[in-house]
């Protein structure tokens, strides 16, 4: 006698259409959806992909040339490299387009900066300068992007009752100048990081002096998170520095474009890691007493005034 359930339409529905019921909820998937659902998160992921492609493509072309010389392929060209290059170009163009409203968060940041200033006057001045450098950066980038795509003319006519004046704009020049303002932001960020280092060291010394018997587990965790955020920002800035210098020069800094991919990938991976950790949900505390201690600790893991990724 068979005790198996008959294959009814409802059971077939459950087996086929409801097959995802066999999977348990995944915290990593929830985190990924939560992170990539933000503008910053999706941009950081595409940044990693874009610069990884820039690193990969030269090696694919080199492999194709070596295989051609060894008689293993008919042509020295790599079809995979061409395809990846097109994907990287699409991603780069899309990321620039998505930044078309990038000026709005800058204005929001500068307004909040005046309402809730940072810990020292030096940091306030630095972040004000950084904000104004971004106010110059974004419009220039937007203009150069629109001109490169032929959506606005490169020559403007200004008419007056007495004459008509022609103003010529260069998309390349606008792009270079926008990157120079971005380079100013990056250079100011190094000074910002130096001030952050001093504050973190002072915070660490004060905690140790106040306790006398050593730091608690919560204080150790707080300092660890602060230092982790600090060193991540250092890596991001070190990745952006050569890129901004390269794009700020008319002839560039690197002869081989693979270095753009290397430094961009370093900054992209560190930025993605920062954002991933920032969007992680706090772990559930084991006891109510510990939960109250967690609420009492204000952990500020963000050392950068505004995250600028390009």
């Amino acid at each position: 006698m068979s005790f198996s359930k008959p294959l009814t339409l409802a059971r077939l529905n459950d087996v086929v259409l409801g097959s995802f019921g066999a999977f348990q909820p995944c915290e990593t998937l929830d985190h990924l959806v939560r992170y990539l659902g933000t503008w910053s998160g999706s941009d950081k992921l595409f940044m990693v992909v874009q610069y990884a492609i820039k690193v990969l493509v030269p090696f694919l072309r080199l492999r194709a040339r070596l295989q051609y010389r060894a008689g293993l392929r008919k042509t020295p060209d790599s079809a995979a490299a061409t395809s990846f290059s097109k994907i990287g170009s699409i991603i780069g163009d899309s990321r620039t387009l998505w930044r078309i409203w990038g000026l709005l968060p800058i204005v929001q940041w500068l307004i909040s900066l005046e309402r809730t200033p940072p810990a020292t006057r030096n940091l306030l001045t630095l972040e004000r300068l950084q904000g104004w450098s971004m106010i110059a950066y974004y419009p220039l980038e937007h203009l150069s992007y629109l001109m490169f795509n032929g959506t606005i003319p490169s020559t403007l006519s200004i008419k007056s009752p007495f004459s008509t004046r022609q103003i010529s704009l260069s998309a390349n020049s606008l792009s270079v100048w926008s990157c120079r303002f971005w380079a100013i932001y990056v250079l100011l960020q190094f000074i910002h990081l130096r001030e952050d280092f001093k504050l973190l060291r002072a915070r660490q010394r004060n905690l140790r002096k106040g306790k006398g018997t050593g730091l608690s587990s919560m204080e150790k965790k707080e300092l660890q998170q602060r230092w982790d955020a600090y060193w991540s920002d250092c890596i991001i800035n070190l990745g952006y520095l050569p890129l901004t210098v390269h794009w700020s020069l008319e002839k560039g800094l690197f002869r081989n474009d693979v270095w753009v991919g290397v430094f961009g990938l370093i900054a992209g991976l560190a930025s993605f890691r920062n954002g991933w950790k920032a969007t992680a949900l706090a772990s559930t505390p084991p006891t109510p007493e510990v939960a109250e201690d967690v609420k009492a600790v204000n952990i500020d893991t963000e050392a950068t005034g505004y995250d600028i990724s390009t």
Side-chain angles (χ1 to χ4, degrees):
M1 181 182 293
S2 175
F3 294 96
S4 61
K5 295 181 180 179
L7 188 62
T8 62
L9 185 61
R11 178 162 173 75
L12 184 63
N13 187 333
D14 293 338
V15 171
V16 178
L17 300 182
S19 56
F20 279 95
F23 298 95
Q24 294 296 323
C26 178
E27 183 180 346
T28 302
L29 179 61
D30 294 342
H31 191 177
L32 195 63
V33 171
R34 184 170 63 252
Y35 183 35
L36 298 184
T38 65
W39 172 37
S40 176
S42 59
D43 180 70
K44 286 179 173 61
L45 175 64
F46 282 120
M47 179 183 179
V48 171
V49 175
Q50 177 187 357
Y51 287 109
I53 288 174
K54 282 185 175 290
V55 174
L56 177 63
V57 165
F59 289 101
L60 291 176
R61 288 172 175 164
L62 176 62
R63 186 190 67 170
R65 291 194 298 269
L66 293 176
Q67 289 177 339
Y68 174 73
R69 292 174 185 175
L72 299 177
R73 61 190 306 153
K74 297 180 180 180
T75 64
D77 301 322
S78 171
T82 301
S83 298
F84 277 119
S85 295
K86 291 179 180 179
I87 294 173
S89 178
I90 292 171
I91 292 175
D93 191 71
S94 299
R95 291 184 62 231
T96 305
L97 179 62
W98 292 337
R99 287 196 302 272
I100 207 74
W101 58 78
L103 196 60
L104 298 180
I106 297 296
V107 174
Q108 183 187 44
W109 170 43
L110 287 173
I111 292 173
S112 66
L113 184 64
E114 300 304 320
R115 301 256 180 320
T116 55
T120 67
R121 183 73 183 184
N122 287 339
L123 286 177
L124 177 60
T125 302
L126 283 170
E127 293 191 17
R128 281 172 171 171
L129 290 172
Q130 286 181 302
W132 281 99
S133 70
M134 290 294 98
I135 285 179
Y137 162 78
Y138 274 109
L140 292 174
E141 184 195 49
H142 300 338
L143 283 174
S144 64
Y145 173 77
L146 294 174
M147 289 179 65
F148 273 127
N149 287 276
T151 55
I152 60 174
S154 59
T155 303
L156 302 177
S157 299
I158 300 179
K159 296 182 179 181
S160 66
F162 305 102
S163 63
T164 301
R165 184 180 178 184
Q166 300 285 337
I167 298 179
S168 297
L169 300 174
S170 170
N172 287 324
S173 296
L174 291 174
S175 178
V176 167
W177 274 103
S178 71
C179 290
R180 286 171 180 172
F181 283 108
W182 182 25
I184 292 173
Y185 177 96
V186 172
L187 292 173
L188 289 171
Q189 185 62 20
F190 279 110
I191 306 175
H192 196 298
L193 289 170
R194 186 186 64 180
E195 294 292 319
D196 292 334
F197 183 82
K198 293 178 182 178
L199 291 175
L200 278 173
R201 289 293 296 272
R203 169 68 172 164
Q204 190 170 349
R205 286 194 301 267
N206 291 337
L207 284 175
R208 287 175 176 172
K209 288 181 181 179
K211 286 290 181 179
T213 57
L215 302 179
S216 67
S217 59
M218 288 302 303
E219 289 168 340
K220 289 180 179 179
K221 184 178 180 180
E222 175 194 356
L223 287 174
Q224 182 182 6
Q225 289 177 333
R226 287 173 179 257
W227 280 114
D228 182 78
Y230 172 80
W231 291 117
S232 294
D233 285 332
C234 288
I235 293 173
I236 293 170
N237 223 44
L238 287 172
Y240 280 142
L241 179 62
L243 294 180
T244 55
V245 173
H246 173 68
W247 290 322
S248 296
L249 302 175
E250 294 286 350
K251 296 183 179 180
L253 181 65
F254 306 119
R255 294 184 178 179
N256 193 335
D257 201 46
V258 71
W259 290 109
V260 174
V262 169
F263 288 114
L265 186 58
I266 291 172
L269 288 171
S271 296
F272 187 88
R273 177 181 177 272
N274 257 9
W276 181 264
K277 297 189 74 172
T279 53
L281 296 178
S283 57
T284 304
T287 62
E289 289 78 7
V290 176
E292 291 301 321
D293 291 339
V294 172
K295 292 177 183 178
V297 177
N298 179 19
I299 299 176
D300 180 13
T301 59
E302 187 66 40
T304 305
Y306 181 78
D307 175 38
I308 183 74
S309 305
T310 188

